[in-house]
Amino acid sequence: SSNNTVAGIALQFGASTNVIENNVISGNGGYGIYSFTSVGFITPLRQSGNIIRNNKIGVNGDGSAALGNRNSGVYVGDNSVDTQIGPGNVISGNGATGADTVFGVNIGGYLGTQSAFISGTRVTGNKIGTDATGTKALPNAGGGVQVTSSTGTVIGGAGGNPATPGGTANLISGNSIAGVRLKDSIGFGAGTSNNVVTNNWIGLNIAGTAALPNGSGVYFSNSANNFTVGPNNVISGNRNDGVLIEASNNATAAQQVRLNTITGNLIGTDASGNAAVPNQGYGVQLRGGTFTNTITGNHITNNATGGVYLAPSTNATPASPTQNTFTGNTISSNGAVGITLTSASSQNVIGAPGAGNIIQNHSSSGIEVQSAGNTIQANDIRLNQIGILINNAAGNTIGGASVAT
């Protein structure tokens, strides 16, 4: 398709069980593929069970160069359920430079009414942000994949890795802002549930050996809640943070970024876990008043600025991360400090009996505490210049089972 103003292909008003396969869908003035029927219709029809596979979306016929759609490559919106995107698509090059609302794949919308949300979207086995070989960046302007108000969305899958033909893992690399952006509608704060990002390579080349960076790897914002990132993602080589969890400024607790889980990932290594492919920022950063997130069972290693960093927001009334839990991680050889709890980052838990972290090989300290009311216990903290540095902070609990410092 060429120069269509709204979309190359539109699925509307109950269009279901269609297979869109082996097309070049590029150069359109709107979306590449658009699945949407507004809930504003009195009796909205649902698009269900559509499959989008083996297409070139936003690139030329051999997938070697960008031929971008002006808007997102694939948009799955209102009244679209059980949509399958992949395997085998190349979804890259979409959006003009600086168009930060344009993604390779953009998922989120209402289902029937404005109090229910679309469900069952699966994004599997695609190259998003690269050429067809998976070795060159063809950025989507706003990011690779955005997931917002929806339930049961799965990005990736257990089958093979991105180099496995017909597998379910995605290669999400080379995108301008973020590989994966996870958010919710600030007006609801409860439109996301059971959404999973698993077994993808985010920031690597197709061989899994070198950086093909996104801006950040995975970016949580705007009320993102109840997302799970992991297991088995490799989030490495990105220009900024591997994972950034950023709170919404001045949001109520019910509308805040919260209750997300980062589990079982490699953050800062190649796909084998044996060689360094650092993110240039932190491995994991929590910024602002985000709370009750769980970071567990990850290998957070080799990242240039630091391992884990909890920081205040930068608005006029700054807030800091609270009540977050870090257990069972290996945090090694990251910049100067393994974990930093900056001012006002309180009630966070680092380690638990039987689920301590290994924190080692940092040029300054394993853990630096600049705030009050945190608990640090049951960790193995070794081979740093200082194990735990408590810097002008009071009221923290240091100790527990099997502590080595």
Side-chain angles (χ1 to χ4, degrees):
S1 301
S2 177
N3 297 318
N4 301 295
T5 57
V6 175
I9 297 175
L11 299 164
Q12 294 183 296
F13 300 108
S16 297
T17 63
N18 298 285
V19 177
I20 300 170
E21 185 172 25
N22 295 324
N23 302 285
V24 178
I25 307 170
S26 301
N28 296 291
Y31 298 94
I33 299 174
Y34 169 93
S35 178
F36 180 94
T37 301
S38 174
V39 295
F41 288 99
I42 295 174
T43 307
L45 298 170
R46 298 178 181 180
Q47 299 77 238
S48 177
N50 294 298
I51 298 172
I52 301 164
R53 65 190 181 202
N54 296 320
N55 301 285
K56 305 291 194 304
I57 304 174
V59 297
N60 64 1
D62 65 4
S64 64
L67 184 59
N69 299 291
R70 187 176 181 84
N71 216 316
S72 296
V74 180
Y75 172 51
V76 181
D78 286 7
N79 287 307
S80 300
V81 297
D82 297 330
T83 305
Q84 178 179 318
I85 303 167
N89 298 296
V90 179
I91 309 174
S92 304
N94 296 289
T97 300
D100 61 4
T101 61
V102 176
F103 296 84
V105 178
N106 192 355
I107 300 163
Y110 300 116
L111 184 63
T113 71
Q114 292 188 356
S115 60
F117 303 93
I118 66 171
S119 63
T121 306
R122 302 175 303 286
V123 181
T124 63
N126 305 287
K127 295 182 178 74
I128 303 174
T130 78
D131 69 349
T133 70
T135 61
K136 182 174 75 172
L138 298 177
N140 295 293
V145 179
Q146 176 170 270
V147 182
T148 181
S149 301
S150 61
T151 65
T153 300
V154 178
I155 310 302
N161 63 51
T164 304
T168 56
N170 299 290
L171 180 69
I172 307 174
S173 299
N175 295 287
S176 294
I177 297 178
V180 178
R181 183 171 184 178
L182 307 174
K183 58 183 285 191
D184 196 3
S185 167
I186 192 69
F188 293 95
T192 58
S193 63
N194 299 315
N195 296 321
V196 178
V197 180
T198 182
N199 196 37
N200 305 285
W201 293 352
I202 303 173
L204 293 178
N205 65 4
I206 192 61
T209 57
L212 189 58
N214 305 290
S216 295
V218 179
Y219 176 34
F220 294 79
S221 68
N222 298 82
S223 302
N225 63 94
N226 289 293
F227 286 98
T228 299
V229 175
N232 299 326
N233 297 294
V234 185
I235 308 170
S236 302
N238 297 290
R239 287 185 297 275
N240 300 309
D241 300 325
V243 177
L244 172 59
I245 303 175
E246 184 171 39
S248 302
N249 292 334
N250 303 316
T252 67
Q255 296 177 341
Q256 190 51 273
V257 178
R258 67 200 189 280
L259 294 169
N260 299 294
T261 300
I262 314 296
T263 182
N265 304 290
L266 300 176
I267 303 175
T269 76
D270 69 352
S272 74
N274 296 322
V277 184
N279 297 292
Q280 295 305 305
Y282 296 98
V284 177
Q285 180 177 181
L286 284 69
R287 184 188 300 162
T290 182
F291 62 94
T292 58
N293 301 289
T294 299
I295 291 85
T296 184
N298 304 284
H299 286 255
I300 304 170
T301 61
N302 311 306
N303 297 289
T305 306
V308 176
Y309 192 74
L310 278 66
S313 59
T314 57
N315 59 320
T317 55
S320 292
T322 61
Q323 303 173 62
N324 301 289
T325 301
F326 302 83
T327 57
N329 302 287
T330 297
I331 302 171
S332 179
S333 305
N334 302 283
V337 181
I339 301 177
T340 303
L341 305 177
T342 64
S343 177
S345 299
S346 66
Q347 301 177 65
N348 299 289
V349 175
I350 301 175
N357 303 285
I358 298 172
I359 306 170
Q360 63 186 10
N361 293 324
H362 297 97
S363 60
S364 179
S365 53
I367 302 173
E368 181 174 350
V369 183
Q370 304 170 11
S371 53
N374 301 288
T375 299
I376 301 171
Q377 62 176 329
N379 302 290
D380 184 346
I381 306 173
R382 59 192 178 193
L383 302 175
N384 309 285
Q385 185 181 68
I386 299 171
I388 301 173
L389 172 60
I390 303 174
N391 189 347
N392 194 28
N396 296 286
T397 298
I398 312 296
S402 303
V403 177
T405 60

